[in-house]
Structure formats: C-alpha cells, structure tokens
C-alpha cells in the first residue's frame, strides 16, 4: 500500500508545485535559522536546530535542481532533512508551550502554522519523488 501521492499541486503540474514548495520552504528554513534565538534554547539544541535547518536549505536547493534535471536522488536529501526538521519543530513548539505560553503566544501560533506548511511541503516533494521514479508509481 503506502502513502498516497498527489498528481497535481494547487492546479499546477506537480513539477511546478514541487518547485514552488521548495522555494517557499527554502525561505522559511533560512528565515528560521536567522531568527533562532540562542537565549531560548539550550546550547546543544540550538546547534542541532541550526545544523538541521542548514541541511534542509541544501535539500531545498537540490529539489529545485531536480525540477530542471529530473533525478530522484536529489530529492532524497530534502525528504530526510524534512522529517528531521518536522520532528525538531514539533519539539520546539512543545518547548514553547511548556516554558513560555503566556509570553510567546504569537510565536507558538507561527510555529504551528510553520509546522503545518512544512508537512504539506514535505508531502508535495514526496509526491514529486514518487513521480520521478520512487519505489511506487504515481499514476495508479
């Protein structure tokens, strides 16, 4: 069975949807790296978060390259770093809820919206991976 895949993304061909998702996610991941506040996180968590987001930016660049040079191996970096990033973002939102709920309600809401976007973008790129020749065909 497996995860069902998309055939189109927002009325666009999946290729262009993957390109748009990678570019927007590239901006979000880069922005989060720049906005990470060292004061709120323990040192080890901060370094891990920055490293994962930088690796994810590289994955976004490789997805953009895969749109123009169709190669499923380029997309795998994004899929792996995307899952790790989503798990880290979930941990960060939980941390914000526990530690700073009254003071950072806007940050929590933005974190949840970013998490939802990250999951959607991962799903679009996963569908693109399947279309490029992943382990199951997309046109079933």
């Amino acid at each position: 069975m497996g995860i069902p895949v998309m055939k189109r993304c927002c009325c666009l061909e999946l290729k262009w949807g993957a390109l748009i998702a990678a570019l927007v996610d590239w901006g979000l991941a880069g922005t989060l790296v720049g906005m990470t506040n060292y004061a709120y996180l323990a040192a080890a968590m901060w370094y891990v978060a920055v490293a994962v987001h930088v690796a994810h930016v590289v994955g976004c660049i490789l997805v953009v390259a895969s749109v123009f040079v169709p190669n499923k191996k380029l997309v795998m970096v994004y899929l792996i770093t995307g899952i790790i990033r989503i798990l880290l973002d979930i941990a960060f939102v939980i941390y914000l809820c526990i530690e700073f709920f009254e003071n950072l309600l806007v940050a929590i809401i933005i974190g949840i919206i970013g998490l939802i976007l990250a999951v959607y973008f991962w799903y679009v790129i996963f569908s693109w991976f399947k279309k490029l020749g992943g382990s199951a065909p997309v046109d079933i």
Side-chain angles (χ1 to χ4, degrees), residues 41-83:
L41 299 174
M45 177 72 172
W46 184 77
Y47 288 122
V48 169
V50 169
V52 167
H53 281 85
V54 167
H56 191 67
V57 166
V58 171
C60 291
I61 293 168
L62 291 174
V63 169
V64 170
S66 78
V67 169
F68 299 105
V69 180
N71 186 347
K72 71 177 186 173
K73 292 178 184 175
L74 296 175
V75 180
M76 288 192 283
V77 173
Y78 179 92
L79 295 175
I80 293 167
T81 60
I83 291 173

Side-chain angles (χ1 to χ4, degrees), residues 10-43:
C10 300
C11 300
L12 295 173
E13 187 179 334
L14 189 58
K15 172 169 110 171
W16 301 117
L19 177 66
I20 292 169
L23 290 174
V24 171
D25 201 14
W26 181 359
L28 290 175
T31 302
L32 289 176
V33 168
M35 291 177 52
T36 303
N37 191 344
Y38 180 72
Y40 290 134
L41 299 174

Side-chain angles (χ1 to χ4, degrees), residues 3-7 14 123 126-128 130-131 136-139:
I3 300 174
V5 294
M6 307 169 101
K7 293 184 180 183
L14 189 58
Y123 185 61
F126 177 75
S127 298
W128 174 240
K130 291 291 192 173
K131 186 169 185 174
V138 76
D139 297 323

Side-chain angles (χ1 to χ4, degrees), residues 92-105:
F92 182 67
V93 169
I94 291 171
Y95 175 76
L96 285 177
C97 289
I98 292 171
E99 291 294 321
F100 302 105
F101 185 74
E102 292 87 18
N103 299 334
L104 295 177
L105 186 58

